[in-house]
Amino acid sequence: MPRLALCTLAVCVLAIAAAVVSFARGSWLGIVWILIAGISSNMAWYYLRKARADRERTGAAG
């Protein structure tokens, strides 16, 4: 798994945890954390697909 995908996945998990804590304390700031989790999740998927495509392209060429 690519390093950038792991980092963005970690950010996603931490953002979800922060959102849960925010909502548990009664703060609406959790909405921002949910948005950050969504963005980082999309970034993780992008980096995973990009690594897979790069791996297939180099495998087909070489």
Side-chain angles (χ1 to χ4, degrees), residues 37-50:
I39 290 170
S40 61
S41 170
N42 286 342
M43 288 174 63
W45 279 113
Y46 169 78
Y47 287 126
L48 283 172
R49 286 192 309 254
K50 183 177 181 289

Side-chain angles (χ1 to χ4, degrees), residues 7-40:
C7 289
T8 55
L9 192 60
V11 168
C12 181
V13 170
L14 291 174
I16 290 171
V20 168
V21 170
S22 288
F23 285 132
R25 291 185 177 186
S27 174
W28 287 98
L29 190 61
I31 294 173
V32 175
W33 289 114
I34 293 294
L35 293 174
I36 292 172
I39 290 170
S40 61

